[in-house]
Amino acid sequence: MRDLGTGFRYLLKGQRWVARHGRSYGLGLLPGLITLVLYAAALVALALWGEDAVAWATPFADGWSSPWLGLFRGFLTAVLFVLALLLSVVTFTAVTLLIGQPFYENLSERVDRDVSPDGYAPESGLPLWRELWISARDSLRIVVRAALWGVLLFACGFIPVVGQTAVPVIGFFVTGFFLTEELTAVALQRRSVELRTRLTLLRSRKTLVWGFGTPLAVAFLVPFVAVFLMPGAVAGATLMARDLLGEETDEGGAGGKEGGGDVTTLPQPPSGSSSPAR
C-alpha cells in the first residue's frame, strides 16, 4: 500500500514542477485545449443522438409495452454515455499526447535534466516523424486494449447490484492504469523502452500506477480539468518512469527521491550519448 501513496505524490510533484516552470506549463496547455474542443463536440453529439442510436440497435424491443421500453432504452443510453465518457478519458490522453508530441517531449526532457544528478536527459535519436509514428502505433494498441476492457465492463454493468457498484470502481482503476501507460510513454519512449516492456514495468508496480492514474482518471471527468492537469501529469509521469527504471533522482529537483518496492532496471546509455534507435 506504500506504493499507492507514492504514486499519488508523483502526481502532486508533477503539478508542482510545472507551477515552477510557467513557460513549459503554458505550452503544454495548447494540445489539451485543441483536443478538448474535439471531444466536447463528440460527447454533445452522443448526448443528442445517443437515444436514436440505441433505438436503432435494439429493434427487437419495438413492440415492448410502456414503461419497459423506455426504461430499457433509457438505461442502455445512460450506460453508452458513461462508457463513452470512460473511453474518452483514456483516448483523450492518447490524442492529446499525439497532437502535443513536440511540446510534451520537450517538457519531459526538461524534467529529466532538472532532477538528474548529472543533468542528463535521454534522447531517442529518432526523427520527429518516426517518433509520431511510434506514438500513434502504441497509442492505438493501448486504445484497443482499453476498448476491450470497456466492452467487458459494459457487459458486467447488467449484473444486478455488482454492475452498479463494483463495476464503476473497477472501471476507474482500469482507466487509471491505461492513463499512466500513455503518460509514462513520453519518457520511456525516449529511453527506447518498447510497449511490451512498458506494460511489464507498470504491472510490476500496480499499486504505484493506481495511486498515480486513478485520481487522475477521476479528475479528468470534470470538464476542463484534464487540460490544466496534463502538463503536470506528464511531468509527474516522467518522475515515476525514473522510479520504475531505478534511476537516481536529485532531491533538489524533484522535492525528494521516491522509491519503495522492487524496480526493474534497464540498461541506460552513458551520459552524453543518445539512446539507441529502435
Side-chain angles (χ1 to χ4, degrees), residues 147-173:
L148 291 176
W149 270 98
V151 170
L152 176 61
L153 292 173
F154 176 80
C156 291
F158 291 98
I159 302 175
V161 183
V162 174
Q164 292 75 48
T165 54
V167 170
V169 174
I170 294 173
F172 281 118
F173 277 95

CSV table of all heavy atoms in Angstrom, one decimal, residues 147-173:
chain,number,residue,atom,x,y,z
A,147,ALA,N,-10.5,-0.5,-25.0
A,147,ALA,CA,-11.8,-0.7,-25.6
A,147,ALA,C,-12.4,-2.1,-25.2
A,147,ALA,O,-13.5,-2.3,-24.9
A,147,ALA,CB,-11.8,-0.5,-27.1
A,148,LEU,N,-11.5,-3.1,-25.2
A,148,LEU,CA,-11.9,-4.4,-24.9
A,148,LEU,C,-12.3,-4.5,-23.4
A,148,LEU,O,-13.3,-5.1,-23.0
A,148,LEU,CB,-10.7,-5.4,-25.1
A,148,LEU,CG,-10.3,-5.6,-26.6
A,148,LEU,CD1,-9.1,-6.5,-26.7
A,148,LEU,CD2,-11.5,-6.3,-27.3
A,149,TRP,N,-11.5,-3.8,-22.5
A,149,TRP,CA,-11.9,-3.7,-21.1
A,149,TRP,C,-13.3,-3.0,-21.0
A,149,TRP,O,-14.1,-3.3,-20.2
A,149,TRP,CB,-10.9,-3.0,-20.3
A,149,TRP,CG,-9.8,-3.8,-19.8
A,149,TRP,CD1,-8.6,-4.1,-20.3
A,149,TRP,CD2,-9.9,-4.6,-18.5
A,149,TRP,NE1,-7.9,-5.0,-19.5
A,149,TRP,CE2,-8.7,-5.3,-18.4
A,149,TRP,CE3,-10.9,-4.8,-17.6
A,149,TRP,CZ2,-8.4,-6.1,-17.3
A,149,TRP,CZ3,-10.7,-5.6,-16.5
A,149,TRP,CH2,-9.4,-6.3,-16.4
A,150,GLY,N,-13.5,-1.9,-21.8
A,150,GLY,CA,-14.7,-1.2,-21.8
A,150,GLY,C,-15.9,-2.0,-22.1
A,150,GLY,O,-17.0,-2.0,-21.5
A,151,VAL,N,-15.7,-2.9,-23.2
A,151,VAL,CA,-16.8,-3.8,-23.6
A,151,VAL,C,-17.1,-4.8,-22.5
A,151,VAL,O,-18.3,-5.0,-22.2
A,151,VAL,CB,-16.5,-4.5,-24.9
A,151,VAL,CG1,-17.5,-5.6,-25.2
A,151,VAL,CG2,-16.4,-3.5,-26.0
A,152,LEU,N,-16.1,-5.3,-21.8
A,152,LEU,CA,-16.3,-6.2,-20.7
A,152,LEU,C,-17.0,-5.6,-19.6
A,152,LEU,O,-18.0,-6.2,-19.0
A,152,LEU,CB,-14.9,-6.8,-20.3
A,152,LEU,CG,-14.9,-7.7,-19.1
A,152,LEU,CD1,-15.7,-9.0,-19.4
A,152,LEU,CD2,-13.5,-8.1,-18.7
A,153,LEU,N,-16.6,-4.4,-19.2
A,153,LEU,CA,-17.3,-3.7,-18.1
A,153,LEU,C,-18.7,-3.3,-18.5
A,153,LEU,O,-19.6,-3.3,-17.6
A,153,LEU,CB,-16.4,-2.4,-17.7
A,153,LEU,CG,-15.1,-2.7,-17.1
A,153,LEU,CD1,-14.3,-1.4,-16.9
A,153,LEU,CD2,-15.2,-3.4,-15.8
A,154,PHE,N,-18.9,-3.0,-19.7
A,154,PHE,CA,-20.2,-2.7,-20.2
A,154,PHE,C,-21.2,-3.9,-20.0
A,154,PHE,O,-22.3,-3.7,-19.5
A,154,PHE,CB,-20.2,-2.2,-21.7
A,154,PHE,CG,-21.6,-2.0,-22.3
A,154,PHE,CD1,-22.2,-0.8,-22.1
A,154,PHE,CD2,-22.2,-3.0,-23.1
A,154,PHE,CE1,-23.5,-0.6,-22.6
A,154,PHE,CE2,-23.4,-2.7,-23.6
A,154,PHE,CZ,-24.1,-1.5,-23.4
A,155,ALA,N,-20.7,-5.0,-20.4
A,155,ALA,CA,-21.5,-6.3,-20.2
A,155,ALA,C,-21.7,-6.6,-18.7
A,155,ALA,O,-22.8,-6.9,-18.3
A,155,ALA,CB,-20.8,-7.4,-20.9
A,156,CYS,N,-20.7,-6.3,-17.9
A,156,CYS,CA,-20.8,-6.6,-16.5
A,156,CYS,C,-21.8,-5.6,-15.8
A,156,CYS,O,-22.3,-5.9,-14.7
A,156,CYS,CB,-19.5,-6.5,-15.8
A,156,CYS,SG,-18.3,-7.9,-16.2
A,157,GLY,N,-22.0,-4.5,-16.5
A,157,GLY,CA,-22.9,-3.5,-15.9
A,157,GLY,C,-24.3,-4.0,-15.8
A,157,GLY,O,-25.2,-3.4,-15.1
A,158,PHE,N,-24.7,-5.0,-16.5
A,158,PHE,CA,-26.0,-5.6,-16.5
A,158,PHE,C,-26.2,-6.5,-15.3
A,158,PHE,O,-27.4,-6.9,-15.0
A,158,PHE,CB,-26.3,-6.4,-17.8
A,158,PHE,CG,-26.5,-5.5,-19.0
A,158,PHE,CD1,-25.4,-5.3,-19.8
A,158,PHE,CD2,-27.7,-4.8,-19.2
A,158,PHE,CE1,-25.5,-4.5,-21.0
A,158,PHE,CE2,-27.8,-4.0,-20.4
A,158,PHE,CZ,-26.7,-3.8,-21.2
A,159,ILE,N,-25.1,-6.8,-14.6
A,159,ILE,CA,-25.3,-7.7,-13.4
A,159,ILE,C,-25.9,-6.9,-12.3
A,159,ILE,O,-25.4,-5.8,-11.9
A,159,ILE,CB,-23.9,-8.3,-13.0
A,159,ILE,CG1,-23.3,-9.0,-14.1
A,159,ILE,CG2,-24.1,-9.1,-11.7
A,159,ILE,CD1,-21.8,-9.5,-13.8
A,160,PRO,N,-27.0,-7.4,-11.7
A,160,PRO,CA,-27.6,-6.6,-10.6
A,160,PRO,C,-26.7,-6.3,-9.5
A,160,PRO,O,-25.9,-7.2,-9.1
A,160,PRO,CB,-28.8,-7.5,-10.2
A,160,PRO,CG,-29.0,-8.4,-11.4
A,160,PRO,CD,-27.7,-8.6,-12.0
A,161,VAL,N,-26.8,-5.1,-8.9
A,161,VAL,CA,-26.0,-4.7,-7.7
A,161,VAL,C,-24.6,-4.5,-8.1
A,161,VAL,O,-24.0,-3.4,-8.0
A,161,VAL,CB,-26.2,-5.6,-6.5
A,161,VAL,CG1,-25.4,-5.0,-5.3
A,161,VAL,CG2,-27.6,-5.8,-6.2
A,162,VAL,N,-23.9,-5.6,-8.5
A,162,VAL,CA,-22.5,-5.5,-8.8
A,162,VAL,C,-22.2,-4.5,-10.0
A,162,VAL,O,-21.3,-3.7,-10.0
A,162,VAL,CB,-21.9,-6.9,-9.2
A,162,VAL,CG1,-20.5,-6.8,-9.7
A,162,VAL,CG2,-22.0,-7.9,-8.0
A,163,GLY,N,-23.1,-4.6,-11.0
A,163,GLY,CA,-23.0,-3.7,-12.1
A,163,GLY,C,-23.1,-2.2,-11.8
A,163,GLY,O,-22.5,-1.4,-12.5
A,164,GLN,N,-23.8,-1.9,-10.7
A,164,GLN,CA,-24.0,-0.5,-10.3
A,164,GLN,C,-23.1,-0.1,-9.2
A,164,GLN,O,-23.1,1.1,-8.9
A,164,GLN,CB,-25.4,-0.3,-9.9
A,164,GLN,CG,-26.5,-0.4,-11.0
A,164,GLN,CD,-26.7,-1.9,-11.4
A,164,GLN,OE1,-26.9,-2.7,-10.5
A,164,GLN,NE2,-26.7,-2.1,-12.7
A,165,THR,N,-22.3,-1.0,-8.6
A,165,THR,CA,-21.4,-0.6,-7.5
A,165,THR,C,-19.9,-0.9,-7.8
A,165,THR,O,-19.1,0.0,-8.0
A,165,THR,CB,-21.8,-1.4,-6.3
A,165,THR,OG1,-21.9,-2.8,-6.5
A,165,THR,CG2,-23.2,-0.9,-5.8
A,166,ALA,N,-19.6,-2.2,-8.0
A,166,ALA,CA,-18.2,-2.6,-8.2
A,166,ALA,C,-17.7,-2.3,-9.6
A,166,ALA,O,-16.5,-1.8,-9.7
A,166,ALA,CB,-18.1,-4.1,-7.9
A,167,VAL,N,-18.5,-2.4,-10.6
A,167,VAL,CA,-18.0,-2.2,-12.0
A,167,VAL,C,-17.5,-0.8,-12.2
A,167,VAL,O,-16.4,-0.6,-12.8
A,167,VAL,CB,-19.1,-2.6,-13.0
A,167,VAL,CG1,-18.7,-2.1,-14.4
A,167,VAL,CG2,-19.3,-4.1,-12.9
A,168,PRO,N,-18.2,0.3,-11.8
A,168,PRO,CA,-17.7,1.6,-12.0
A,168,PRO,C,-16.4,1.8,-11.3
A,168,PRO,O,-15.5,2.5,-11.8
A,168,PRO,CB,-18.8,2.5,-11.4
A,168,PRO,CG,-20.0,1.7,-11.5
A,168,PRO,CD,-19.6,0.3,-11.2
A,169,VAL,N,-16.2,1.3,-10.1
A,169,VAL,CA,-14.9,1.4,-9.4
A,169,VAL,C,-13.8,0.7,-10.1
A,169,VAL,O,-12.7,1.3,-10.3
A,169,VAL,CB,-15.0,0.8,-7.9
A,169,VAL,CG1,-13.7,0.8,-7.2
A,169,VAL,CG2,-16.1,1.6,-7.1
A,170,ILE,N,-14.1,-0.5,-10.6
A,170,ILE,CA,-13.1,-1.2,-11.4
A,170,ILE,C,-12.7,-0.4,-12.6
A,170,ILE,O,-11.6,-0.4,-13.1
A,170,ILE,CB,-13.6,-2.6,-11.7
A,170,ILE,CG1,-13.7,-3.5,-10.5
A,170,ILE,CG2,-12.6,-3.3,-12.7
A,170,ILE,CD1,-14.4,-4.8,-10.7
A,171,GLY,N,-13.8,0.2,-13.2
A,171,GLY,CA,-13.5,1.0,-14.4
A,171,GLY,C,-12.6,2.1,-14.2
A,171,GLY,O,-11.7,2.4,-15.1
A,172,PHE,N,-12.6,2.8,-13.1
A,172,PHE,CA,-11.7,3.9,-12.8
A,172,PHE,C,-10.3,3.3,-12.6
A,172,PHE,O,-9.3,4.0,-13.0
A,172,PHE,CB,-12.1,4.6,-11.5
A,172,PHE,CG,-13.2,5.6,-11.8
A,172,PHE,CD1,-14.5,5.5,-11.2
A,172,PHE,CD2,-13.1,6.7,-12.7
A,172,PHE,CE1,-15.5,6.3,-11.5
A,172,PHE,CE2,-14.1,7.6,-13.0
A,172,PHE,CZ,-15.3,7.4,-12.3
A,173,PHE,N,-10.1,2.2,-12.0
A,173,PHE,CA,-8.8,1.6,-11.8
A,173,PHE,C,-8.2,1.2,-13.2
A,173,PHE,O,-7.0,1.4,-13.4
A,173,PHE,CB,-8.8,0.4,-10.9
A,173,PHE,CG,-8.8,0.8,-9.4
A,173,PHE,CD1,-10.0,0.9,-8.7
A,173,PHE,CD2,-7.6,1.0,-8.8
A,173,PHE,CE1,-9.9,1.3,-7.4
A,173,PHE,CE2,-7.6,1.4,-7.4
A,173,PHE,CZ,-8.7,1.5,-6.7
